[in-house]
Each structure stands twice: as C-alpha cells, then as structure tokens.
Amino acid sequence: MTIAYYKILSSPQVRPYLFQARFGLEREGHRVDAVGHLSGLNHPAALGSRNFHPYLQTDFSETQLEAITPVFEDSKHALQFMEALHDVMIRSLEQGELLWSQSMPPALPENESDIRLANLEKKEDVLYREGLAEKYGKRKQMVSGIHYNFEFGKDLLQAMWKQQQMVDFQTFKSEIYMKLSRQYLRYMWLITYCLGGSPRANAGFFTDKAEKPKEPVRSIRNSKFGYRNTSDIFVSYRNLEQYYEDLHTYVKTGALSEMKEFYSAVRLRGGKRAEELLDVGVQYVEFRNFDLNPFVRVGMDEDTARFVHLFALYLIYKEEEEAPEAAQRLGYEINDAVALENSLEKTAYFNEGKLFFAQMRTFAQNLDFSKDDLALIDKFAQMLEKPETTMAGQMELAFRQNKTFALDLSRQYRQQSYKRPFQLAGFTHLELSTQNLLFDAIQKGLKVEVLDEHDQMVALSYKSHREIIEKGNMTSKDSMVAYAVMENKVVTKKLLNRVHLNTPQGQEFSDLETAQAAFPLFETTSIVVKPKSTNYGLGISIFKQPATQEQFYKALEIAFQEDKEVLVERFVSGTEYRFFVLDGKTRAVLRRDAAHVIGDGVSTISQLVAQKNENPLRGHNHRFPLEKIQITATEKLMLDVQGYTEQSIPVKDVKVNLRENSNVSTGGDSIDVTDEMPEIYKNIAEKAAEALQVKITGVDILIEDLNDSLGEKYSIIEANFNPAMLFHLYPLKGKGRRVTMDVLQFLFPEIFA
Amino acid sequence: MTIAYYKILSSPQVRPYLFQARFGLEREGHRVDAVGHLSGLNHPAALGSRNFHPYLQTDFSETQLEAITPVFEDSKHALQFMEALHDVMIRSLEQGELLWSQSMPPALPENESDIRLANLEKKEDVLYREGLAEKYGKRKQMVSGIHYNFEFGKDLLQAMWKQQQMVDFQTFKSEIYMKLSRQYLRYMWLITYCLGGSPRANAGFFTDKAEKPKEPVRSIRNSKFGYRNTSDIFVSYRNLEQYYEDLHTYVKTGALSEMKEFYSAVRLRGGKRAEELLDVGVQYVEFRNFDLNPFVRVGMDEDTARFVHLFALYLIYKEEEEAPEAAQRLGYEINDAVALENSLEKTAYFNEGKLFFAQMRTFAQNLDFSKDDLALIDKFAQMLEKPETTMAGQMELAFRQNKTFALDLSRQYRQQSYKRPFQLAGFTHLELSTQNLLFDAIQKGLKVEVLDEHDQMVALSYKSHREIIEKGNMTSKDSMVAYAVMENKVVTKKLLNRVHLNTPQGQEFSDLETAQAAFPLFETTSIVVKPKSTNYGLGISIFKQPATQEQFYKALEIAFQEDKEVLVERFVSGTEYRFFVLDGKTRAVLRRDAAHVIGDGVSTISQLVAQKNENPLRGHNHRFPLEKIQITATEKLMLDVQGYTEQSIPVKDVKVNLRENSNVSTGGDSIDVTDEMPEIYKNIAEKAAEALQVKITGVDILIEDLNDSLGEKYSIIEANFNPAMLFHLYPLKGKGRRVTMDVLQFLFPEIFA
C-alpha cells in the first residue's frame, strides 16, 4: 500500500484536524524512605483498593507506584491530571516517605529476596510477577519510566482516509499506526539521545561489576541493560498481521508467557486484551521508552509531551526505508549504541540527527506549524550540538554538583505537594470544595471527570454507578424541592416550626415602602434585616440595639438590592454555629466569628483590616480557606452603628466588628467546635435537616449558652443547600473535618465497605 | 366566675389580637339532575374515595355532597377554599348534573324508600344513617345548610386570660366558649331573621299537608319542622360539666344514639371525638344554624362570614341574663317563632333586635372597629326595618318572579364553574399549572396547603405522606443535580451524546469578542444563537439562511443579555416537538408553532399581531393557556431577516414568522400530537430523560420527518426541568392531556391504587 502522506497531511480537508489527537500517561515511581531506601511500608492505606483503582496501581514491586491518567484531547491536560495524581500519591504517603524522582531505582538491597513483589490480591497478578522475577531478575524490573499513549484524532483519521480511499478505514488506520511504529523504532535513538534519563545506576543494580557500563551514559534503561526481552525475541512491524503472527508464535512456544510480556518501545494497542488486536485493529500506540525527567515532579514536562506529538506527525509523513525489518533492526542497533554513549559528549549519529531535524523543521514550516512548535523543534535539534542540554547531560551535571540530587528533588516534590494542601494540582481553576472532593475521589479510586468547569460540575463513577456533583455537595441525594425549600426562608421556618424547632420571629416584606412604614413595629427591639433568599450573608444587617429610622431604611435598601422580598426578624442574641449535617448526622460544627479587628491604639480600622488580610490563609473568591475582609456599604453601616469610621483609631485591645453576620465568606474567622458541641444541639440540627427532607445541609444555629443543658435557648437561622466545606476541612483553629470524604462515602458506600 | 369582659376586650394588651380567630366551613348540597330532581347517579367517580377524602364527603343521602374546608385565619380564605371546592365538586359531576342551590331539598320522591342513603363503605356509617332515617324520617334529613366553625385566636385567648388570672387557662377558655354558646342560643333568632333561607318547602317535604306552615316563612330549617332532636332533649349550656353530663345521660339512656346526634345550633368541639370534650376543654364551636344563601355559589357570602365573627365578639362582651337555662329556653322559643314568621313582614321581636344592634354598634365603636365593619353591622341592623332585604325576603321576591329561580341559579353556578376551566377559583393568584395541580389534588382527596404563593410552593399530603411541590412539577422525585444538569446545556449534550442521542453540534462562548471573532466558522451554515442556560426561549435567534455578520453580532448581543455564556449551534431543520416525560414514560407530545401571522393583504404586521392577540385564550404571564405575541428586539430581528418591518403589509395568505423559536411562552401556538407521534421518538425522549436521570422533564426534539421510520433525523434541543403543563392540558388544537394528574399519581401511587 503506497500512501502519499505529504499530499494527505497538507490537504485543506485534513489541515483543520492535523493536531487532533488523544493522550494518556502512565508513570512508575518508587516509594522510598527519608534517606532514599526502598520503603519498607506497604502500599498506602489511604488509597482505595488496588482491585479497582483506575489511576493508582502498583507495578512490579510493592514500592513501585504506578500513576495512570485517563485519556485527554490535549497532552497538557494529561500532564495536569498527572499533577493531580502526584498530589494525591504523595499526600497519601506515610510521614517520611518520598516518591523517588528517577528512573533508575534507589540503592537496592543486597539480597534480591528483600525486594518485595507487589502484594496484590489476584493470584494471577502475583504469579505473573513471580515469573518475571525468575526470568529477568528482580533488579531490572525495578527500573521505572513513563509511558505515553498516543491516538490520532477520529476526524483526522477520517479526513486522511477520505484523501486516499484505497482500503477500508480499519485497514488504513492500522497501517498508519504500523508506519508510525516502524518509524518510531527506526528513530527512537533521538528520544534516547535527547530524553535519556538514566545515566548512572545506584548501588545494587549491577551485581556483576564487570558488566557495568562506563558511566555516565545516556540511558541505562533504554540500553541492553534495561528492562527488555531476551535477545532472541524479534517481532516484525512490517504489517499488523506479521506483528500479531510473530507475537502469537512466541507465546505458543513459551518464549513469552503472554503477549503483554513483549517489551517494545512501541506497543500496539487494540481491544482490552492484546489478543483482540487483530480483530479490532490498532486503536492507539504506547510509547514506552521515556525515562523519568527528575527535574519535574511528574516525570515529564509539557515541552516533551508536545514534542512527541510533533515527532509522531513527522514520522508518518517521512518516507520510509525500503526493507522494514532491516530498518527496524538498524533502529535497535543505533539506539543501543546511543544509549550507552557518554551523556556529555556528542553522539556518533550526529549527522543523521541533523538531517532528521532539518527535514522535520521543513515539514513543520510547510504545514504552517506555530512559532512555538517550530521553536520546540529547534530546542530539541540544538541538543545535538549541546549534549549538556540533553536530559542525561543535565543529570550528570547535577550529579557532579550534588551526589544526592535525586533524593533532594524527591524531598522537594513532597514539600511542593504540601505547600497548599487545600488545593489539588491540575484542578486549581475549580472551586476549592470541588478540588478537595476530587482529591478524595481520586484517592479512593473513583473515576473523575469535570463535566463543566463554570458550574463546578463533576462526574464520579465506580463501575456502572455514576454520580454527578455540582459545587462539591449538590448531589442526586437531595431533591429539587429540598433545594427550593432551603432557598425560601419563610417556608423553611414554617416547616421547622411544625416540628417545634425554634426560628426567629419576624415579618416578610415585598416592597420598600410597606417595609419602611413598619418601622414602629421594630422601634424598640433588636432586629435582623435580610433578603428572603440569598447566600453568603449578602445584604444582611443586624441591629443588636434598636435601629434608628435612618439605619432601618438604609438596611432595608441594602437588603432589597439582593432580593425582591425582605425579612425583618427579632434578633436572638448568642453565638452562631454552623452544623454540617449529612445523611441525618452532624459531621462537623464550626463557630464563625464575624469579621472584626482588634485595636492596637495606633492603627486606623483601615490599616488593621489590611494587616489582618495579610494572613496567607485569606484570599478571594473562595479560593482560600478564609476570605479577605472587604469594606463595603454593609461594613460602613456597621462601623457607623458603633460610632466609627474607617479612619477611626480604636483603643488597644478593643474589638471592632465589621460585620454582624459571621459568614466566613464576608471575612469571618472559622473555629472547629465539633467535639465541644453538646449532643442536644447536634440533634436539633439533625432534626432540622429531617424536617426539610434534606440530606446535605449546613444549618446555622444561634445558641445563647452552650452550657444550657435544656437546649431551649437557640434559634435556627437558616439551612443552606450547598454548605461550604472548606472551612470544616481547614479551620483557622481546631481540628479539620474531612466532610468531602463523608460526601463520597454517602454517595459510594460500596467502595467504603 | 365573673369576668369583666369589657375591661378585658378593651385592654391595650388584648386589642392588637381582637380579631385573631380561625374559621372553617362545611357546606351540604344535593346533586340534582337537569330538571332539578335528586340525581339518580352515584357519588362522582372522579372524586377520590370517601374513605379518606378530607374535603368532599357525603352527608345523609347519596346525593348530598358535603364540602369541608380546612381551618384558616381569615374567614375570606375559608370562603375562597370553599370556592375551590365548588369548582372541583361541580366539574366532577356528570354531564347534566347540578349542585342544588338551596337549603330545602328539591322535590322529593313520593316513596321515601326512593331516597338513597349514602352508599358508604364503613358499616357503622351506614348503620348510623339507617338509625336516623328510622327515628326522624328521611325527608327531614335531606335539608342542607352550612356550618361555621369558629375558634378564638391563641394569642387573643392568652391575652384575655392574662387580664383576669382567676382560673387556669383551659377553664377560662372553656368558659369563654360556654358564654359564647349561651349567648348565641339566646340571640340566634337574629341569624334566623336576617339569614334564614328556607321560606318554602318543595314538593314532597311535607307529607302531611295539615302540618305545613303558611309559607313564605323565614326558615323552615330553623323552625320546629327542621332537622332537630325530639322535644324532650334539653342540654344545658350552664357550664361545660353540665353540658357534658346532660349529653352523657341522653346517650346512656338511649335517647341519643351517640353524642354527635345532638343537633344544637351550637356544638362545642374539643378533641376528635365528642367524648374527649371534658378532658381537652372546648377548642372551638360549630355554628350550625346557617341556611344556604342561594344567591352565591358556595352558600355563604363574605359579609355574612365577617358578620358572624363580629357577632361572636359582641356576644362574649354582652352581659348575660341571670338564669342560664331560662335564657336558653327563651332563645329557643323566640327563634322558633321568628323562623315561622312571614318572610316579608317585620318580626314580632323588632324592639329586642333594635336594642341589640344599637348596643352592638356602640361596642364596635368603642373598640374602634373599622368603618367597613360598622357599615356591616348597620347593614344587618337595617334588615329589621326592611324584611324584604333579609335572605328569606329576597328569596320570596325571587320566587314570585320565577318559580324555578333555585334551579336556574344551580344551572348558572355550573356555567360559572366551567367558564375558565383552566383556573381554580380561590387560587387564581397562583400560576395556572399550580391551580390545575391543586384542582386534581383536591379532586382526588389529597390535603393541600399553599406554603408560599410567591414561589408557587404547595404541600400535598395523604396520611403521613407529605410532598412539597414547586411550580406544579418540581418535586422530591427529581434531584438537585438533575436540575443543575438540565440548566446546563453543555453538560446535557455531553450526557445525551454518551448514550448516542443526537444533539445539535455547536460551540460555546463566554465573551462577546471571541464569539464575534468566530463568525467565519458559521458564515456558510444555518445556525442557532442562544444563551447557555435560560428558559422560555428568551434571547434565542435562529438563522435558517446563514446570518450576515451584522445579524450574527446582533444575535450574540441579545443572547449575552440573557447569560454569561452563549452557544452557537448548527441549525437542524425540521419541526420541534415537546415531549412531556414523567417517570420514564412520554405522557404528552405537543407541536408548537412559532409565533406568526398570516397576511390578509390589508393589515400591517402590527395590526395582524393585535388581531391574533384578541383570542381569549391568549393572555400574559402564563395565566392563560396561550401567551400574547409581543414585538421585542428578537421579533424585530426576525422580521428584518425576512425583509419586513412592523409596518409591512404581508401579501394575503403569506405566513410571516415573528419568532423562530416555537415556545408557547413567546406567542407560539400549541397542538397536541400525542397519538400521532411514532413510538420511536417517544422512546428517544424517554431515553434522554433516563440519561439525564430526571423523572419529570420536557424534552424538545427537532424532527425532520415524522414518517422517517428509522428515527435518525432528529436532534434533541434541550430538556427542561420545570416543563409547562398547561399547554398539554389545554392545547389550542387536539386532545388535552391531564399531566397534572400524572404528576399526582407519580407522587401518591397509593391513592390511585
């Protein structure tokens, strides 16, 4: 089959889809202890079972974690997900444990039997590993890498196919992947040259000192000392049938235990099992020759991920040598040689490399690749001239500076993972509650997918059980009408009063004039003026001392800006607590102190606010556990009530409230009091949730005196349908409560069984 | 016990609560046939079972419907609910059946055995009626009336009690009701005089002609010929203990079969059973002496309901005569006499009446009753001078004009009940979908309560099973997250595409500039520009011919006014249908024709729109089955696309579209096509609902050709979470589908079993 690849790739029907592709990554890496020895601990207990975990598995040995991303349409997204997996993996390690940053294993125990095989539950998985240990030795199996799964876009393949129409689509598609694979094997030495990342072995890898190559090399892992099949195994990539036939024969004769034991730099992937390949055709390819890049936490950087994509495109364009098997053998030969070259010296294949990159650049220019892509090709091309800029070169330079640079990097990545423990790398564009939920979901082994970033809508699934969750805890367990009830403070009160729960007494107004006219009713009492349905405490004014008419009017105006209906309620004194109730049980209780400053006798209120806002836990838009205090009309009104302006200088140690409502979202402080809260009030919150027929809610209760054992002097202020979780997870003071995990356990009891 | 009632009632602590009270009404009325004979049909099958129906029961005979309102804090609300019950009762009658407008039964059959007792399921209910028939004769039991349940407000009673503090609260409360009852019995003749409404008996009531009084009288029902106990029964109202003791004795001796057989004009009510009265004290009283007012459909007007309240207040104030039993007997005596006076003549007790009203007016003035209330007292007082303005007087005058005026009124009330069959009297301030749902709920015997008018939130219940419903079909059966999914068109599409359902292909934009820049992508195709999440078709523009840049920009602006995110989708041609899917099954399908006019060659588009809007089915704000067409920017743009302005005169018979979206809410027409729609598309709608995990939804599907049996050329436009029901119930053309009843059946399968 002769396909005019250039014509095809440059056709106007194909060009719009040229970069359409799908990517997935698999990264292996060892757990090590604080001094860089293989960890003696078992697979992290915090992670969901290896029986089903879709993302976090164990490779050959018990210490060898494997992180697997789903498939994405952009390699950056695969890397972002890999970042998330690293946050989860590393934060799931025991204290002192690290994730080893290099492909070459850390110093190995003298006695090979001290290397523990992965302690998996399935018998066949254990037997397979025992077979490998027997055949290849355990030490080689300890080398780690990163696999790059690559699939051409559906529209791209269709468009390309329509340009030739000589064979049916499946045959065409398989042939595209066969060519890609042949060419990849022929030119993979360029990857080994540029991206080889195993220049030196650590103690215990080479047991036979005589065998050990002269270090630094470029890639022990990609050399004959790496993890590969015995030299008698040769599988032809001439065409799919031949490939399958060869593999099949090796399995039949017992040279390979099963097809997946074939360790090529390119593995053809079809159906779920290797055996289905011939029936379904090639669906995608797995490039397996990438050493870990120790300079980035996830083992591969964005430039590399993009370069491999461009490399693949060029490879299917580039004309092939005539005899496929000969070319394949040549590719192996050059790669083997380059792998063991000195990492700080130029390669013997410099000229072939120069020519390759020059032609690749021309190809890229002709197809109008972006400037960034052209620069990327240049960056890799330049490595031919400057071996010290190759990955192996850089590693060797780092090694000469610091013999333990790999361990130091591992430590650094652990610190990085804990720098903002309330975030999940790769998902920082989402709200924190959703980030935390996703963290827990990934940790426990649920499949996660962001359905809509704007609405914070994610899908979680386990087997055929799928749950969609909006904003961290709006789930299928709560009804549309429970939502509507909680949105409606009047109905909420009605339902609570019916089960004899206390709520503030008050009156509802739907126009400003009537509300203003009602001033005499409230002239002598403490009151709260608030919009009927809103969250985050917006538009709420509280008057512990009876308001003046002017203050009352102003408060009404503010409230009417938020809603068409406004409530004026009797103010109940006491402290407000937030009860996080889930599935009938109070999971966390928080006290929130209203935004305030404490005078120092020198600074103005403005300045005190600015100082308080410097706390690194405070930020904006709910992206931090606490919000910065802002001075809006509501704060100004509250200052006015107390006789202050922003420029007043409060006396030392005097507390000046800036809000009367204590929502964290308006600058309040958060203090966990779950353990201290008497059962009686937890029961009240639970009874409220039951009366409202709601499964997940945040119940705000004003309690006059926690020590009042009768539990009578309280008032339920409201029940919130999408209660904030972050301040329970990361309170300013007190113990954090992992309510996101409670949500997951509620939704997926089967994985917590 | 001497209580200073005037002091109590006028105290500043009591005055704010003076009118606080609770009211409930029970109206009896016969089903008659078209010519005014007792209906030969059974209790309406459309009504829920009499075993549990809280509002619609049967009294003595099978034809005697009984309508019972819940308790309200305003007598107007009780009357409004009674109006609703009448809409339901009358629309549940078979064709030709009427609800008899008078207290006196229509012409009765010669043979008493032809009067059918209520055919109830419970044996004891039948036995009780058989006993009554035996004892009093069936004919007397056929007289109907309206009972007025009255309870003083809790705060009022408390405030009154605090003014005296001589006895405990329950004793005080019972004494208040005992005094009210004694006084009521003493002065009930005034009610009989003013509101007596049974001046003449119809054929068959008096079997013994000699016995028949000289008609017209004021109230046969309240005379000795009415429905009352044998003359040897006298129960004292001296105090609660005596009352109970007397009753108890009559039951023990068999003079009464049970306590409820005591037919006083005032019945004291305590617990559920009369027997509990002594334990719980008097909770409220039931005034039973009201004849039906034939001039209003529900048998009592607002003035009367209010007057009785004022009357009751005055009675507890008014000083009592010394000997209670003597006063009680005197009251009976005067009443018996007044009942049989000539309805067009003054009463013999004119002077007592004059004095009573004069004193009542003074009382009312001293307590600052409103002008309206004073005028109401005057209105009743003046009846003493003008007997022709009493109810019996008016009835007699009407009778002299037209012997069949009672039947004519019954006919008129049936017509009134069908005038706007899409409304429910008493609830017309709610949305039509909620009105229709409440109609069905009342019909089937669910308890109904409006929780919040503004949010259209109602509670329905059967036994301990309560469901809250917002806007007609947002229920506990659908989840918060299903709501969020349907709100999000992008996620909706994702989920539909995953189960291989067709949706329009398109692109999402979150800012105007980027969207404008994408114009070249859509330059050559038919497109729809629409806000990502909005309902009612607001902000949607459709271009069947590719839009010009200017049109595209304008459409984007309109869409961005409705939402922060806008979708531009490939336009799929075809006809749009709305599938109402409930619990996995398509219940109704509607075709909606976009707002349009048909030219007449003379009128401008403006004029044609005005003509179309004259259709009485069209109104505003979803209060009619169809909406009036409005000319907004969207319509103007659509006219512009077709080369029209509002002032253009379209050629005769040419159709001019004013909207491209076919929502009824933007002036479209509605045509039911449930029966014509091929199963394959109904299945598609059901599959969509399943994919979105939603129980109640309106799925909009564009179908290119209904006859395409493959069912492949369609596109699901959106799924709506609060689908309109009205246009299925009352389509412009085709058969109405009672989807509100489907909703009830889904929520309360137990009452449909």
Side-chain angles (χ1 to χ4, degrees), chain B residues 42-69:
Chain B
N42 289 337
H43 188 70
L47 298 177
S49 166
R50 285 178 281 185
N51 287 339
F52 62 77
H53 207 302
Y55 306 129
L56 297 173
Q57 281 292 344
T58 322
D59 204 278
F60 177 76
S61 78
E62 180 69 4
T63 55
Q64 197 171 20
L65 280 169
E66 186 178 8
I68 306 146
T69 73

Side-chain angles (χ1 to χ4, degrees), chain A residues 207-222:
Chain A
T207 42
D208 179 356
K209 298 281 175 208
E211 197 195 30
K212 193 177 173 181
K214 185 170 177 343
E215 293 169 338
V217 298
R218 301 196 202 278
S219 177
I220 294 172
R221 178 172 167 276
N222 281 291

Side-chain angles (χ1 to χ4, degrees), chain B residues 444-496:
Chain B
K444 287 304 162 207
L446 292 167
K447 281 195 188 152
V448 308
E449 181 192 8
V450 177
L451 290 175
D452 192 68
E453 291 181 6
H454 182 264
D455 283 359
Q456 309 285 320
M457 206 182 285
V458 300
L460 305 182
S461 54
Y462 171 69
K463 293 181 178 167
S464 66
H465 176 188
R466 186 188 67 195
E467 295 281 350
I468 295 175
I469 296 148
E470 192 184 35
K471 298 190 179 74
N473 58 27
M474 293 169 72
T475 75
S476 69
K477 299 286 184 182
D478 272 313
S479 78
M480 221 181 245
V481 83
Y483 167 86
V485 164
M486 285 185 280
E487 275 275 83
N488 186 314
K489 292 203 175 74
V490 172
V491 173
T492 295
K493 278 174 68 170
K494 262 189 202 170
L495 297 179
L496 294 180

Side-chain angles (χ1 to χ4, degrees), chain A residues 449-452 454-455 457 459 466-470 473-488 490-491 494-495 498 508 532 563-565 690-694 696 721, chain B residues 449-452 454-455 457 459 466-470 473-488 490-491 494-495 498 508 532 563-565 690-694 696 721:
Chain A
E449 182 192 5
V450 177
L451 289 175
D452 192 68
H454 182 263
D455 283 359
M457 207 182 285
R466 185 187 67 195
E467 295 281 351
I468 295 176
I469 296 147
E470 192 184 37
N473 57 26
M474 292 168 72
T475 75
S476 69
K477 299 286 183 183
D478 272 314
S479 78
M480 221 181 245
V481 84
Y483 167 86
V485 164
M486 285 185 280
E487 275 274 83
N488 186 315
V490 172
V491 173
K494 264 190 202 170
L495 298 179
R498 274 179 206 182
E508 187 184 337
K532 184 171 161 193
D563 195 352
K564 282 181 293 186
E565 294 180 70
E690 193 191 348
L692 301 173
Q693 296 185 7
V694 55
I696 301 179
F721 65 85
Chain B
E449 181 192 8
V450 177
L451 290 175
D452 192 68
H454 182 264
D455 283 359
M457 206 182 285
R466 186 188 67 195
E467 295 281 350
I468 295 175
I469 296 148
E470 192 184 35
N473 58 27
M474 293 169 72
T475 75
S476 69
K477 299 286 184 182
D478 272 313
S479 78
M480 221 181 245
V481 83
Y483 167 86
V485 164
M486 285 185 280
E487 275 275 83
N488 186 314
V490 172
V491 173
K494 262 189 202 170
L495 297 179
R498 276 180 203 180
E508 187 183 338
K532 183 171 162 193
D563 196 352
K564 282 183 292 186
E565 293 179 73
E690 192 191 348
L692 301 174
Q693 296 185 7
V694 55
I696 301 178
F721 65 85

Side-chain angles (χ1 to χ4, degrees), chain A residues 235-254:
Chain A
V235 174
S236 167
Y237 283 73
R238 171 183 286 271
N239 55 45
L240 182 58
E241 292 70 23
Q242 187 62 51
Y243 172 87
Y244 189 84
E245 168 71 23
D246 286 358
L247 262 182
H248 191 65
T249 307
Y250 286 126
V251 172
K252 226 168 55 188
T253 59

Side-chain angles (χ1 to χ4, degrees), chain A residues 618-629:
Chain A
R618 291 190 191 267
H620 283 301
N621 299 322
H622 313 280
R623 299 206 167 269
F624 289 77
L626 292 169
E627 287 288 309
K628 286 189 195 288
I629 299 169

Side-chain angles (χ1 to χ4, degrees), chain B residues 556-703:
Chain B
L556 286 173
E557 270 168 40
I558 292 172
F560 271 114
Q561 274 165 21
E562 301 295 329
D563 196 352
K564 282 183 292 186
E565 293 179 73
V566 164
L567 300 178
V568 180
E569 285 175 350
R570 198 75 61 81
F571 175 72
V572 183
S573 73
T575 306
E576 189 175 328
Y577 297 91
R578 158 62 63 89
F579 293 69
F580 186 89
V581 180
L582 184 147
D583 196 21
K585 194 95 196 85
T586 300
R587 310 293 173 134
V589 189
L590 199 90
R591 195 182 83 220
R592 290 169 297 175
D593 291 348
H596 66 274
V597 289
I598 308 285
D600 61 6
V602 182
S603 313
T604 64
I605 289 175
S606 254
Q607 290 164 337
L608 291 168
V609 166
Q611 285 162 27
K612 195 157 184 173
N613 281 344
E614 280 168 15
N615 186 323
L617 285 176
R618 291 190 191 268
H620 283 302
N621 299 322
H622 313 280
R623 298 207 167 268
F624 288 77
L626 292 169
E627 286 287 308
K628 286 188 194 289
I629 299 170
Q630 297 187 50
I631 299 191
T632 69
T634 310
E635 280 80 2
K636 283 179 188 162
L637 178 61
M638 283 301 134
L639 286 177
D640 184 40
V641 169
Q642 299 163 85
Y644 290 114
T645 73
E646 281 172 85
Q647 296 318 311
S648 308
I649 298 178
V651 172
K652 190 161 163 30
D653 296 335
V654 160
K655 182 180 175 186
V656 177
N657 282 322
L658 287 148
R659 286 296 273 221
E660 287 292 351
N661 70 299
S662 49
N663 304 50
V664 165
S665 56
T666 52
D669 293 347
S670 57
I671 298 109
D672 178 82
V673 294
T674 311
D675 294 332
E676 301 89 300
M677 180 58 62
E679 264 321 291
I680 200 166
Y681 294 108
K682 291 182 188 169
N683 292 342
I684 284 168
E686 290 157 9
K687 201 172 162 192
E690 192 191 348
L692 301 174
Q693 296 185 7
V694 55
K695 293 297 186 184
I696 301 178
T697 182
V699 184
D700 291 332
I701 309 184
L702 260 181
I703 301 176

